[in-house]
Structure formats: structure tokens, C-alpha cells
Amino acid sequence: MTLKKTLLASVIGAAVAATAMLPMTASAETLRIGYSADPETLDLHEQLSGGVLRFSHLAFDPLVRWTKDFQFEPRLATEWEQVDETTMRMTLREGVTFHSGNPFTAKDVVWTIERLKESPDYRAIFEPVASVEAVDDFTVEITTTEPYPLLLNLATYIFPMDSEFYTGETEDGNDKAEIVKAGNSFASRNVSGTGPFIVTDRRQGVRVDFQRFEDYWDTESEGNVSEIVLTPIAENASRVAALLSGGVDFIDAVPPNDLDRVRDAQGANLIEIPGTRIIGFQLNEERVEAFQDVRVRQAVDLAINQEGIADRLMRGFATPAGQFSPEGYSGHNPDLVPRYDLERAQALMAEAGYEEGFSVDMIAPNNRYVNDAQIAQAVANMLARININVNLRTMPLAQYWPEYDTRQSDIAMIGWHADTEDTANFFQYLSFCIDTETGAGQYNYGSYCNEEIDALVTAADGETDLEKRNEMLREAEAMLYEDVGYIMLHWQNLAYGAAEGIDIEPVVNATDFPYLGDLVISR
Amino acid sequence: MIAFLIKRLMHAILVMFVISVLAFAIQDNLGDPVQQMVGQSVPESEREAIRERLGLNDPFLVQYARFAKNAVQGDFGYSYFYREPALEVIARHLPATLELVFAATLIIVLFSVPIGVYSAIKPRSPVSRFFMGASIIGISIPVFLTAILLIQVFSIGVTVSLFPESTGWGAWLNGVLSTEGNMPSFGRGYDLVHVMGHWDTNLITWDGLKHLVLPAVSLASIMLPLFIRLIRAEMMEVLQSEYVKYARAKGISMRRVYFVHALKNTMLPVITVGGVQIGTMVAYTILTETVFQWPGMGLMFLDAINRADIPLIVTYLMIVGVIFVVTNTIVDLIYGFVNPTVKLTGKPA
């Protein structure tokens, strides 16, 4: 409880400090952020969410991180090499200190990976990792159970935590290292990372304050942000207003309706980048016999005008998709593009014996993806043209997933972002034949099953020759395209708004985790 | 008096009990809290383990009994999102909401009484007509829209170029209609003064007041027209009554007739309605607080619903129920004070 008192005390301190700062908000170093959500917790391993990962990039550093064109950039790991088929040796950066003052060494990496394997949210992702060993103070060896080509992708999730800081017992006798979901654990309230920013104060749901870490290792970074005030503003209109009125300097998730407003506003800029989250529909083959016929599935796909939805409904805020993996991912197949053709769709329906059509139910969330309910409505209207009458129900997120899990509707909307930023992940969750033992096809609403594709993707996941692997995944995408295992719509873009002089463009990428440590403000 | 208060206390307990049962009964329809706690790719077995640990798999009666047993001892459960006792979370958010409601109430009282009285005394004057017209518009505009409009005009600013800039009068009109807009559009600001416990106040500093103005005005915008019309109607009725005519005939100054004799009787029904409406206003804060990102109970409640944070939802509903009972009790007390012929115990006077 003393912690809370310190927090309170520092609130007052911060308030006083903030007052002193306020009249010169133009001062170059303070960045006021309005994000749609704040981190749910300060414990990186308690919850895998956008909010927590964004926070991770502020207060911690990953071993490697993604560049704009999906290459790996060394951070706390400086070099890596495959020692044998299942072992990778990583050289760690020297001279790095944690916020607590403890030096960063290999034991922290070992500790962090072992903790990741304990985390309910990360356990499954880190399944391939068998063990990790500190060879010396600045070398670790990570061993996988089988040859695994995505170890570096996983390394983007390894944010070494200060093992000394998180070891021991709290005053009330709890283990400092424990991961407690939605509980009051030590790690969910205390932070010691290596990242560019230290958390100075936090009021959940109200604001988080950061200050630049003076001993930050990356002295070559040109980033000059010395303080961050993060205010969560969930309401789209309010977030945009906060930017336009100069209340904040930087916002995420500019809604499509406000894109032009931000773009044209004086003193603000719009930064738009293609995202990686695929939005689409799944056809329930268990409930609707017609969907077991590949011709009907093709007809559904052909009847949907992806370009039209991206252009008009999304106002260009989406990239029409013909496959799971967006450009830049290994496995992206440039030949697979949307193929809207109403006449062929009608012909296919007739050929399959469904000229008269049929009626189906459809469910979609109404506050999860950008314009989700409207998209579902548009798709319903398009399907009416091939005589599939859709009875659409939309609902808020909190009710949607329980409904989705029951699989009691005929068509369902789902968006997916691959945690590994890799093509195979989409297949494993969305189109693999359902296997409750292994967890394959966990989000395969339609019970679609094509063992050939599954075999190919599984083989690709054991292939360490990356070029060969890409070829296999491209092939898998092509097969899924023909067989229509998932109705692709588009990849949702990302849009940020930033005040004049906040040069946000170089530090954002498709993962949606801005690297604010490197942000340069010039006003 | 004591008997009355005890009776009301029993009411409050009954209300809390009924609300808690209802809230528990609908919790399955609020969504799955575990879904909000884990990443999308987390396997079902992990989710099941969390559900089991939180006791979400138990039958309704078991869950309710567990909740009721703890609640009687003042423990309303742990908010899933805030990772703190639900009561503590609400206590932290309550002052912001109360200050907002207080500021809105102040605006309503300060404006509705003079305007209402004036338009009752001079119903045909253009000023009264203007206020009556404006109040119709005020009632019709949803608070969400009012809030957005206020932000656009006073926070972001509006540049009007409707009139020819080259002419003197055009430039002047454009200037008059355009707004600078530097009012804060969200939050409580950073210049709060700590009073006690969880209470940091906006009411003392200039920056704090600036942050409070727009949310308070938009919250007041729903009730203000209603009260203007209510006061006007009551006042007009009172002015027709025999005792006012008699007072006039006696030659008492009109000022005294209006403000001492008539206004007192006008206020009786206004206080009754007012008490109920203040309770309603706490509910309306949900919208206002969402638009202005005002970190009070309303915003917290909406977030809790989106996250299916059931312990927090149940506790909030119970607390709001109590607020209703308390405001009604206070109204009844004031009522008795203003009009001594009213007996609190409800027996005919």
C-alpha cells in the first residue's frame, strides 16, 4: 500500500511540475499522447495486447525489433547465428543498465524467456523454445525442440526484464515474479526495464507519465523526447478533437470519417500506413451444407466487391486483400488479388444447384474493427445479389466473442493479426482443420478443412531455409485462394495524427508500436 | 425524523439488494470478461483456467452467495481491469463526477431561476420568447452533440469567412463569429489541488475551472431548459392564485410579491423534480464524461461495460442506487423544511 501513497504523492508532485511546464507546452521535449487505450498492466507477460506491447517499447527494449520493411533491427541482441538446426546463439549488447541501476546481462534474458514460458498469454507462442542457456555474461543460446525458422520473430517479443528487481518477496509475502491475471501483483505495478522511458506516475485509465531514462544505452538515437504524458481517449471524436485543439500532440487510430479533417487541419498532420490485420468472413460448413461446395464458396468470394468496400466504405483506409499475408510478409503472393465478378458468381451458384439461393445468419462485432458493422451490412447486401439472404446481427465486442465461440451462426466476421508477423500464423488459427488437442484452427469458425494446405504450412514451419519456406507459403496461399477457405476483405490501414513538428513518420511501422524513443520533435 | 431516516436506510438496503440480484442475473449477457483479459491467440485451456480461478464457472446461486457474503462485510470484489477492490476504484472516480454534477447544478440554479421567473412575469416580452424558443432547441439536442459542438467552437475554434473580408463590417462580423478556441477539450487538467483522500479538486485553480467549464455546460444543457420551463410554468400558475391577487390588491410592492410570496411556492415542485433530476444527471455523466474523457464514474462505468468488468459494474449500479435514495431523502428533508405542513412520515397532515 505504501506504493499507492508514493504514487499519490508523485501525482501531486507531477501536477506541480506540470503546471510549471504548461505555459510553455511548445517546449520541444514533452510529448502528450492521446491513445485509444492505455496499457492494461505494467507486467509485460500478464496480457498480450496492443496497449501493453506499445508500453513495452517505451520502458523496455526487445532483443530485436521490426523495421518498416519487416527486417530485423538489432536492439539488445547485437548478433545472432544458427549454431545447428535447433540452436541459435545470440550476442547481447554490453553496457546496458536497467532503470533500477542493475546491469543487463545474459541471466536477465534467460529469466525473461523462462517467465514468458510461464505466461498464459505467451506460453503457446513460445512453445517451440525448449530451453535457453547463458553461455557467458553476454551470450545466450536458445534451443528449439525442432528446427524453427521464426525464432527471430519471437525475439521481437523478448523484452528482457530486470531479473534482480523482479526477484524476491513483497512486503505481504508474494513472489515478485508471479504473473497474476487481473490481480494486484508486484510486476503489474512496478517497472524496471532498459527502455528509453521510465514510468514516473500511473493512474489506470486516466494517464501514464514517463520521463526519459538518463542512462539509456542508445546514445546514437536522435530521439529528443524527454517527457511523455499518455492519456487514454477511447472516444474517436474526442481523440481527434484533442489533437485539433492542441490538447495532445500525437494520437493513434484516426477514424476514417476524420481522415480528411486531420489531413486538412492547420498545425496537424496525418500519417497513414498499410496495416497487417486481415479482415474477413468465415462460412460455417457445419451448419450450411451449401458452404461445403467449393463453387458456393467461390461464388460468395466473387460476389463481394473488396475494392468497392475499401474505396467507398473505408474511404481508402484499407488495402483490398486476396490472401492472408500483407505485402512485406514472407509468403505474400503478389498474384493473388481480389476477383470481384458478379456474373461468374451467379453462374457458379447455378452450377452448384443453388440458383434459388438460401437464407443464412451472419454475426459481426460493432466496435472491434474499423467500420465493422457497416462492412458486414455491405457484404450482406452484396450476397443478396447471388440470392443469399443474410440475416445480420451485430453486437459489441464483449458479447461478440462468447457468441462467436458457440459457432451457432452461419457466417461470422473476424479480423486477425499474426502475432509472429508471419504468414503461417494466419493459417494455423483461421483455416487449419480443427484439432482441440493441439489447438489448431482455434478460430476456424466454419470448420473448413483442407489437409493438403495444412500439411504444406506445417512443413514450411519446419523449414529453416527461408527462401524455400516462402515458396511453400506462397503455394499455400494460392491453394487457399482457389479453395476459398476464408473470405478475404482487406487489411485495415493504420492512421496516426501528429501536431506540426512531431516527426512521427520515421518511428511508426505496420506493427502499430511506435518507437517513441527515437522520435524527434522540432518546433 | 429518526423513524423517517431509518425507513430510508431500509429502502437503501432493499434497493442495493434488488440491484445486486438483477446485475448478477444479467451478467452472462454482459459478455465474457476473460476474453478481455487475454490475447486473441491464447488457447481455450488457458482461458478455462482463468475462468475457474475467478469462479466464473460456478452456478449463479453460488456466485451470488459468495458475493453477498463478502459484500455484507464491505468487500464488493476486485475489478478485473483496475486490479483493485471495486469500491476503491469507485471512490477514486467519484469526486470527479460529483464535482462535475455540482458545477452543472450550479449553472442550472444560477440561470434557470432568474430566466424562469422573468419569463413568467413578462411572458410576452421578446426576451422571454427568445428563451422559450432556445429552451425547446436545448431540450431537443442530445447531450453528445452539444458536447461535440462545444468542443468544436471553444476548443478547436471556428473560422467564419461568410462575409466579405474586404469591407469593414464584413471583417468585423467574421471576427465576431469566429472563435479562437483554446479551451481544454478533455480530462481534468494537471493542475488539481489535493483536498483529502481520493479527492483532488478542479474548483480552486484557474486551469482546473477551465477544464470544468465545457463538460459542466454540456451536462447542464439537458436540464437547464427543463428547469426554465418548469419554473416559468409553476410561477405563472402561482401568479394566478388568489393570495397573490390579494397581496397585489393590498398594495404590497411587486418585487416582494414575486420574490417572497410567489417564488417560495413555485420552488416546492421544482425541488421535488430537481432532486430526482440530480440523480438522473449522475446517469447522464456517462455521455458527458465519455466525450470529454472526464475521469469520473460515468466514463469508468462505460469502460467497465466494454470490458465486461462485472464486479465493477455491479458495484457501480449499487452505488448509483444508493445515490438515488440519498438524494431523494435529502429532497424530502428540504421539502419539509420549505413547507412545514408536509409530514415526513407520510401521514396526512
Side-chain angles (χ1 to χ4, degrees):
Chain A
M1 284 295 107
T2 45
L3 175 77
K4 218 172 65 209
K5 271 185 195 135
T6 6
L7 272 187
L8 257 169
S10 49
V11 171
I12 301 160
V16 174
T19 331
M21 301 278 318
L22 267 183
M24 1 168 245
T25 32
S27 109
E29 299 88 5
T30 304
L31 180 72
R32 295 160 306 161
I33 306 177
Y35 273 163
S36 47
D38 61 343
E40 287 88 351
T41 169
L42 300 185
D43 183 350
L44 307 193
H45 302 158
E46 185 184 333
Q47 183 154 3
L48 200 179
S49 73
V52 173
L53 283 164
R54 281 178 179 177
F55 164 74
S56 308
H57 281 280
L58 294 178
F60 294 80
D61 285 297
L63 290 181
V64 296
R65 70 182 184 190
W66 293 105
T67 62
K68 267 182 181 303
D69 45 0
F70 289 103
Q71 302 299 312
F72 296 106
E73 182 188 348
R75 296 304 286 171
L76 292 187
T78 51
E79 277 168 59
W80 48 87
E81 57 169 334
Q82 203 76 36
V83 183
D84 58 51
E85 277 223 303
T86 55
T87 312
M88 180 181 271
R89 180 178 300 151
M90 284 187 154
T91 312
L92 304 175
R93 194 174 292 277
E94 297 184 25
V96 176
T97 36
F98 285 105
H99 297 166
S100 65
N102 296 333
F104 161 73
T105 62
K107 72 172 190 315
D108 300 303
V109 176
V110 173
W111 189 88
T112 303
I113 295 176
E114 277 167 1
R115 193 166 186 264
L116 277 163
K117 286 183 72 65
E118 298 287 307
S119 154
D121 278 40
Y122 283 97
R123 190 145 45 193
I125 299 176
F126 278 82
E127 184 80 63
V129 176
S131 67
V132 50
E133 220 178 306
V135 179
D136 58 49
D137 264 5
F138 295 100
T139 313
V140 287
E141 276 186 4
I142 303 175
T143 314
T144 52
T145 42
E146 276 159 51
Y148 186 64
L150 300 179
L151 204 52
L152 282 178
N153 302 45
L154 294 196
T156 62
Y157 285 109
I158 303 173
F159 295 86
M161 292 167 76
D162 187 345
S163 59
E164 229 169 283
F165 179 80
Y166 291 104
T167 302
E169 276 194 1
T170 59
E171 277 171 31
D172 24 356
N174 294 321
D175 185 359
K176 284 184 177 174
E178 68 178 346
I179 303 172
V180 187
K181 263 281 172 220
N184 187 0
S185 64
F186 176 81
S188 72
R189 293 184 182 273
N190 297 276
V191 182
S192 175
T194 59
F197 297 101
I198 302 176
V199 180
T200 49
D201 182 29
R202 171 167 182 262
R203 294 188 138 194
Q204 188 151 31
V206 180
R207 60 184 275 192
V208 192
D209 292 2
F210 298 90
Q211 207 156 40
R212 192 155 190 111
F213 178 38
E214 277 181 20
D215 296 328
Y216 188 49
W217 59 269
D218 191 357
T219 45
E220 277 164 36
S221 165
E222 292 181 359
N224 66 352
V225 176
S226 60
E227 262 179 71
I228 294 180
V229 179
L230 192 165
T231 312
I233 307 180
E235 187 59 43
N236 284 336
S238 313
R239 196 164 58 248
V240 173
L243 175 73
L244 296 184
S245 67
V248 297
D249 306 310
F250 173 49
I251 61 170
D252 70 339
V254 178
N257 289 339
D258 282 323
L259 291 175
D260 287 335
R261 202 161 152 228
V262 176
R263 202 179 282 133
D264 299 341
Q266 273 198 339
N269 294 316
L270 181 77
I271 298 95
E272 219 181 318
I273 47 176
T276 56
R277 187 188 295 279
I278 185 78
I279 305 290
F281 288 90
Q282 291 167 315
L283 308 173
N284 196 335
E285 296 178 20
E286 296 263 295
R287 283 175 54 90
V288 182
E289 205 186 320
F291 289 151
Q292 290 171 9
D293 189 328
V294 64
R295 288 168 299 185
V296 176
R297 295 201 300 269
Q298 282 173 346
V300 169
D301 189 34
L302 289 165
I304 296 174
N305 182 356
Q306 282 96 337
E307 309 266 354
I309 291 176
D311 268 5
R312 288 195 288 279
L313 220 157
M314 299 293 285
R315 296 172 191 239
F317 189 63
T319 316
Q323 59 191 311
F324 283 137
S325 50
E327 213 183 324
Y329 274 29
S330 59
H332 174 81
N333 187 336
D335 300 336
L336 309 176
V337 291
R339 48 187 158 173
Y340 173 56
D341 185 344
L342 190 55
E343 271 172 35
R344 247 193 83 205
Q346 282 160 340
L348 278 168
M349 285 291 277
E351 201 187 308
Y354 292 102
E355 201 168 7
E356 300 296 308
F358 48 87
S359 291
V360 291
D361 297 330
M362 177 194 278
I363 53 169
N366 59 20
N367 60 353
R368 176 68 182 94
Y369 313 114
V370 175
N371 285 346
D372 39 16
Q374 293 93 317
I375 293 171
Q377 188 60 55
V379 166
N381 293 342
M382 288 169 182
L383 293 185
R385 286 189 238 148
I386 54 169
N387 292 329
I388 298 180
N389 294 312
V390 176
N391 170 25
L392 170 68
R393 271 192 308 138
T394 64
M395 58 204 92
L397 187 63
Q399 277 117 63
Y400 186 70
W401 293 122
E403 176 78 34
Y404 181 95
D405 285 339
T406 64
R407 300 193 181 170
Q408 288 303 307
S409 194
D410 307 326
I411 304 181
M413 185 186 211
I414 187 172
W416 193 261
H417 165 251
D419 287 329
T420 48
E421 309 291 344
D422 178 77
T423 305
N425 180 281
F426 289 107
F427 285 92
Q428 285 151 358
Y429 282 96
L430 297 177
S431 76
F432 261 32
C433 304
I434 296 175
D435 183 340
T436 41
E437 290 272 297
T438 61
Q442 193 188 342
Y443 285 90
N444 183 351
Y445 190 85
S447 311
Y448 169 82
C449 186
N450 183 331
E451 283 167 359
E452 245 179 287
I453 298 180
D454 292 10
L456 188 57
V457 174
T458 308
D461 246 3
E463 179 57 65
T464 40
D465 178 343
L466 291 181
E467 205 24 67
K468 237 174 166 178
R469 180 169 185 275
N470 288 353
E471 200 42 59
M472 293 162 96
L473 290 173
R474 276 199 281 272
E475 175 63 26
E477 286 279 20
M479 286 165 77
L480 191 81
Y481 184 72
E482 258 335 290
D483 205 28
V484 196
Y486 180 85
I487 307 294
M488 316 277 175
L489 284 188
H490 53 244
W491 298 285
Q492 198 172 290
N493 286 3
L494 303 173
Y496 304 94
E500 206 72 58
I502 311 272
D503 195 11
I504 209 78
E505 212 276 330
V507 300
V508 290
N509 61 48
T511 61
D512 206 8
F513 314 135
Y515 302 147
L516 297 176
D518 296 336
L519 174 65
V520 178
I521 302 183
S522 50
R523 282 194 269 214
Chain B
M1 180 79 170
I2 302 284
F4 168 75
L5 286 181
I6 289 174
K7 207 171 133 195
R8 281 308 166 91
L9 187 69
M10 304 305 281
H11 276 184
I13 291 169
L14 187 70
V15 165
M16 285 174 84
F17 172 69
V18 171
I19 289 179
S20 69
V21 172
L22 286 179
F24 252 81
I26 60 162
Q27 64 163 312
D28 281 344
N29 300 318
L30 292 174
D32 179 8
V34 174
Q35 189 72 49
Q36 311 283 316
M37 285 181 215
V38 295
Q40 205 173 9
S41 57
V42 171
E44 185 53 35
S45 53
E46 301 283 2
R47 294 167 197 253
E48 200 48 38
I50 296 168
R51 238 172 251 135
E52 192 61 45
R53 186 173 68 76
L54 295 174
L56 293 171
N57 286 334
D58 299 337
F60 170 76
L61 279 179
V62 176
Q63 286 194 48
Y64 186 77
R66 187 168 49 219
F67 167 80
K69 189 176 143 235
N70 292 331
V72 171
Q73 295 160 10
D75 172 8
F76 288 81
Y78 230 71
S79 158
Y80 300 144
F81 176 69
Y82 291 94
R83 293 148 173 87
E84 269 181 281
L87 212 54
E88 176 93 8
V89 175
I90 289 180
R92 203 142 41 77
H93 287 85
L94 187 64
T97 297
L98 290 184
E99 285 197 355
L100 182 58
V101 171
F102 171 73
T105 311
L106 204 66
I107 294 175
I108 293 173
V109 172
L110 287 182
F111 285 88
S112 68
V113 174
I115 295 175
V117 169
Y118 177 82
S119 49
I121 298 171
K122 293 210 162 59
R124 282 182 225 294
S125 92
V127 180
S128 308
R129 283 168 195 268
F130 166 76
F131 279 122
M132 286 308 107
S135 68
I136 286 281
I137 297 173
I139 287 182
S140 330
I141 300 181
V143 62
F144 195 84
L145 194 62
T146 317
I148 293 283
L149 282 175
L150 285 174
I151 289 179
Q152 180 65 46
V153 174
F154 295 106
S155 299
I156 300 176
V158 187
T159 316
V160 177
S161 52
L162 214 57
F163 304 101
E165 193 68 35
S166 48
T167 58
W169 62 272
W172 180 77
L173 268 177
N174 282 342
V176 167
L177 291 176
S178 300
T179 49
E180 276 273 337
N182 46 20
M183 293 294 283
S185 72
F186 71 94
R188 298 181 74 187
Y190 308 131
D191 201 5
L192 299 181
V193 178
H194 184 71
V195 182
M196 53 181 253
H198 289 300
W199 185 17
D200 292 319
T201 186
N202 269 68
L203 300 172
I204 301 175
T205 59
W206 180 235
D207 181 64
L209 286 172
K210 256 171 78 178
H211 278 84
L212 186 59
V213 170
L214 294 187
V217 168
S218 57
L219 183 57
S221 73
I222 331 156
M223 302 291 173
L224 183 57
L226 183 81
F227 276 89
I228 292 178
R229 298 186 82 85
L230 183 70
I231 292 176
R232 173 178 177 267
E234 289 297 331
M235 185 83 175
M236 283 175 91
E237 205 181 306
V238 170
L239 289 181
Q240 299 300 318
S241 61
E242 296 293 327
Y243 78 93
V244 170
K245 285 181 188 160
Y246 177 65
R248 276 168 136 175
K250 246 182 116 183
I252 296 175
S253 80
M254 289 315 285
R255 249 183 105 99
R256 205 175 148 73
V257 174
Y258 289 144
F259 292 102
V260 177
H261 299 287
L263 188 59
K264 230 187 208 174
N265 284 311
T266 302
M267 290 322 276
L268 280 178
V270 175
I271 289 170
T272 321
V273 177
V276 178
Q277 295 298 342
I278 285 185
T280 315
M281 212 139 80
V282 172
Y284 268 108
T285 55
I286 293 177
L287 287 171
T288 322
E289 289 183 3
T290 308
V291 181
F292 289 100
Q293 193 64 33
W294 189 261
M297 278 204 317
L299 181 63
M300 178 211 77
F301 180 61
L302 201 76
D303 282 347
I305 289 199
N306 284 333
R307 297 194 184 96
D309 194 341
I310 293 161
L312 196 55
I313 296 174
V314 175
T315 316
Y316 171 86
L317 291 175
M318 290 169 72
I319 298 283
V320 168
V322 171
I323 290 180
F324 266 86
V325 175
V326 169
T327 47
N328 279 343
T329 308
I330 294 174
V331 167
D332 287 345
L333 289 176
I334 295 178
Y335 205 88
F337 182 70
V338 177
N339 183 357
T341 57
V342 176
K343 283 271 164 30
L344 285 177
T345 38
K347 285 181 204 121

